[in-house]
Amino acid sequence: MLLKNPRVQCYKCMRPSSTCICKHISTIKTKTRFIILMHPKEYKKEKNGTGCMTNLQLENSEIIVGVDFSNNARVNEILTAEKSSFLLYPGKRSFNLSQRNGSEMKSFMGNGANFFILDGTWPCARKMLKLSTNLQKLNRVSFDNSIASKFTIKQQPEALCLSTIESVYTVLNLLNMGGVEQCDTTDFLLPFEKMIEHQLDYMLNPNNKNYSSTAIIEIGPKTMYKTNTERNVVFELE
């Protein structure tokens, strides 16, 4: 019995070699450190997750996998460091970057802050925050979303729900405007956009084995959002 040849995988972007996005990766340096707290389900099962992609694009970033980070040694090490730490998560008392000027940002954040980001589906992110008592104590940072998500292969429960990489892209641009960062975000979303292109090609090209005749109907505009919250989102309103 002949065995099928295993699909070759890129061990950097973790995608099949045929759809590898590494040539589109252009790592940028930032003063702000982004700590991506990734739910195990996202780490193991989400082939189109953008947390790892965000990490590849940012030199000053890291991924920590878990659910309850209350006693996580690495998280607590960062929290006890000299730099200020914040949770990128909206709330009534959050510091809204979209509504603050540069001097206010610098006064609030200091120089080279740590930004924690919850990466997982809506229920998973909510559980992570509920269990992680150390994260609950952090001041929150948010922004007014003014862009429509390019994640066309997924529908989000709310218009404000961006993928992890889109959220970080928005934050970096706001920090650039405030003079807190001086980084070039021109091609920051390029790997994400190429990933979407590859996925759409599989779904919409009749010559591919994964072609779906109903996919064009299922992929709706980002002005429409599903009520099912089992989706890849970062934020949740209080």
Side-chain angles (χ1 to χ4, degrees), residues 26-83:
S26 52
T27 306
I28 64 174
K29 295 181 180 180
T30 60
K31 297 177 182 178
T32 308
R33 185 165 187 79
F34 292 88
I35 303 97
I36 302 166
L37 302 179
M38 186 177 292
H39 194 279
K41 289 183 179 179
E42 188 76 13
Y43 179 76
K44 296 178 181 178
K45 300 179 180 179
E46 189 55 76
K47 66 178 181 180
N48 292 322
T50 65
C52 291
M53 196 180 300
T54 305
N55 178 236
L56 290 175
Q57 286 286 75
L58 294 171
E59 181 177 299
N60 193 11
S61 69
E62 63 184 287
I63 293 175
I64 304 175
V65 181
V67 180
D68 182 356
F69 296 93
S70 300
N71 298 312
N72 184 283
R74 177 54 183 155
V75 169
N76 288 324
E77 178 186 7
I78 296 171
L79 291 177
T80 55
E82 293 183 1
K83 292 184 178 180

Side-chain angles (χ1 to χ4, degrees), residues 145-161:
N145 180 20
S146 60
I147 66 173
S149 176
K150 295 183 179 181
F151 218 160
T152 51
I153 59 175
K154 288 191 175 183
Q155 289 290 353
Q156 311 292 16
E158 298 290 345
L160 59 81
C161 296

Side-chain angles (χ1 to χ4, degrees), residues 99-111:
Q99 301 175 12
R100 304 285 185 162
N101 58 40
S103 60
E104 289 175 315
M105 291 183 191
K106 293 175 183 177
S107 175
F108 180 74
M109 295 169 45
N111 186 32

Side-chain angles (χ1 to χ4, degrees), residues 197-208:
E197 286 182 15
H198 289 314
Q199 197 67 23
L200 287 176
D201 182 58
Y202 273 110
M203 296 172 66
L204 302 178
N205 189 337
N207 296 321
N208 287 324

Side-chain angles (χ1 to χ4, degrees), residues 131-151:
L131 294 176
S132 303
T133 54
N134 49 355
L135 300 180
Q136 295 171 16
K137 300 175 183 177
L138 294 178
N139 288 323
R140 297 185 184 184
V141 173
S142 64
F143 57 84
D144 293 333
N145 180 20
S146 60
I147 66 173
S149 176
K150 295 183 179 181
F151 218 160

